Amino acid sequence: MQPLQKAPKIAYYRNLFIGDSIIALDSIYAIKSLYPNAHLCVFCGDIGAQIFAPFSFIDEVVNIQNLSKKEVLKELDFREFDYLILTQPNRKHTSIASNSNAKVVISFMMWHNIFRRVFGKKDFRRVFFSRSFSHTPNYKRLLSLVRAIDTAHYDECISKVDFREARFPFSPTHREFVEQNLAFLALDKLDKKGLKSKLGGGILDSRQNVSDNIDNGLNKDLDKKINILINPYSNSCPVSLTKEGYARLANALATNLPNSKIIISSFVYAPPLPQLENLPNIYTFVNNSDLLNLIELVRSADIVISPSTSVIHIADNLCKKIIGIYSKKDMSLWLGKNMDKSMMIVPKIPTNKLKTHTENAIIQSIIQKVLEISQA
């Protein structure tokens, strides 16, 4: 292994989705913390460009969303990197990294790169994790790529790294956007003719099969004002609640916690939640395309309830109290470092096969966990 230069040029290649980009922040910050004189450049797409732009420890962000393979290679070669950390070891990206002039390429071991040797490359380092048997979370896997730069230096210094610098910095502009929209929603509710408080009546009825004894527990805590953010939307999670289930959850929480805000995280063109009651403390926040608004919305919450998707990883980054709905697989690969396993719910049945009574049992469990957190 070649000795590390005093001011190396290091590229971090991560052109993926929101959650994938967020969990990479620790490993990206670890590079800058371990090698403070390095020029750190992140290659990413449109989503990553929004996520990584606010962080001052990243020296350069290169958006490759609309670049061809040849153009990406040109961007890499122009900068003459000493190290290229490739977090996506599929054939396309491995080919780009292998053909670049980076002196060292570090990636995960895949069958198509085991015997790869590139003319002119001093090194092609591979880190192995078994797909079938390894339960190492993805954020730790990414840190292992950083370790491969200099294992001795990493092992000696990683425990001293303060990862608080990898949390999303506060954005006053985006917080103002969130507060103004929530205030507008509150005024809109007041302007509705005939709106009467439904608090304390009829939401948890026998048709929904949600235990009445939950009411008594929650009602002990009515004086405490908390913001509960519910994210019901996910494109890729096989395990979650149904949209009707999320509506029943929101209705129950709003009814029994009248001093709290129940905020539904939504977006333009998202389908509304069916059966959602028009209660005065339920707010549906519809975000535009600016991801930083969503980050500030999550920051404003005391409790975040979400399946395994982007919102929960934002909450994990911000060290929020999280109640997650995860599959068994996601509990291994996508568990964040700040997530409490005791607050995670792991249904054995996928969403499309959930029966109402089973879903209501999950809702009851979520409500119990909200109670535990609010009384802590």
Side-chain angles (χ1 to χ4, degrees), residues 199-200 203-205 208 210-211 214-215 218-219 222 230 245-258 262 275-277 279 281-282 363-364 367:
L199 302 178
I203 299 300
L204 300 180
D205 60 26
Q208 296 169 339
V210 182
S211 176
I214 299 297
D215 294 311
L218 284 170
N219 283 332
L222 290 181
I230 300 176
Y246 278 113
R248 294 200 300 275
L249 172 63
N251 295 338
L253 290 172
T255 300
N256 291 279
L257 294 172
I262 313 302
Q275 302 175 19
L276 187 66
E277 295 281 341
L279 295 172
N281 57 335
I282 292 181
I363 293 171
Q364 181 176 341
I367 293 173

Side-chain angles (χ1 to χ4, degrees), residues 6 15 20 36 55 103 105 193 210 215 230 259 292 344-345 351 364:
K6 291 183 178 180
N15 185 16
D20 307 273
F55 292 95
K103 296 182 178 67
V105 175
K193 291 183 178 181
V210 182
D215 294 311
I230 300 176
N259 291 325
L292 297 184
M344 308 299 285
I345 295 171
T351 310
Q364 181 176 341

Side-chain angles (χ1 to χ4, degrees), residues 1-5 8-12 80-85 102-106 125 148-150:
M1 184 180 294
Q2 297 294 323
L4 193 66
Q5 296 183 20
K9 295 180 180 179
I10 302 177
Y12 191 100
E80 298 181 334
F81 289 107
D82 298 294
Y83 296 87
L84 169 54
I85 295 180
K103 296 182 178 67
V104 178
V105 175
I106 302 172
R125 303 176 193 172
I149 296 175
D150 185 332

Side-chain angles (χ1 to χ4, degrees), residues 19 21 69 266-267:
S21 300
K69 179 178 176 180
S266 186
F267 53 92

Side-chain angles (χ1 to χ4, degrees), residues 204-365:
L204 300 180
D205 60 26
S206 59
R207 291 171 297 171
Q208 296 169 339
N209 295 319
V210 182
S211 176
D212 287 338
N213 61 18
I214 299 297
D215 294 311
N216 296 329
L218 284 170
N219 283 332
K220 295 175 183 177
D221 203 50
L222 290 181
D223 290 334
K224 185 173 285 188
K225 296 181 180 180
I226 56 176
N227 290 344
I228 302 174
L229 179 66
I230 300 176
N231 170 45
Y233 300 103
S234 172
N235 293 325
S236 58
C237 298
V239 173
S240 185
L241 298 179
T242 63
K243 297 299 182 288
E244 292 83 1
Y246 278 113
R248 294 200 300 275
L249 172 63
N251 295 338
L253 290 172
T255 300
N256 291 279
L257 294 172
N259 291 325
S260 296
K261 289 182 181 177
I262 313 302
I263 305 169
I264 309 299
S265 174
S266 186
F267 53 92
V268 179
Y269 304 125
L273 294 186
Q275 302 175 19
L276 187 66
E277 295 281 341
N278 187 21
L279 295 172
N281 57 335
I282 292 181
Y283 302 80
T284 298
F285 179 90
V286 180
N287 191 26
N288 55 27
S289 60
D290 193 335
L291 184 59
L292 297 184
N293 292 330
L294 178 59
I295 292 170
E296 290 307 318
L297 177 66
V298 174
R299 194 192 303 274
S300 70
D302 298 296
I303 301 174
V304 177
I305 302 170
S306 175
S308 177
T309 188
S310 58
V311 169
I312 205 167
H313 294 296
I314 294 172
D316 183 63
N317 175 274
L318 296 173
C319 300
K320 291 295 174 179
K321 297 294 184 181
I322 292 170
I323 300 173
I325 307 169
Y326 265 35
S327 67
K328 183 178 179 181
K329 180 179 179 181
D330 284 353
M331 283 296 290
S332 295
L333 298 180
W334 292 101
L335 190 71
K337 68 176 183 178
N338 297 309
M339 295 182 192
D340 182 350
K341 286 186 178 181
S342 69
M343 289 292 137
M344 308 299 285
I345 295 171
V346 188
K348 297 180 180 179
I349 303 171
T351 310
N352 59 3
K353 294 183 179 181
L354 270 182
K355 302 295 184 182
T356 302
H357 70 277
T358 303
E359 184 169 49
N360 283 335
I362 296 172
I363 293 171
Q364 181 176 341
S365 180

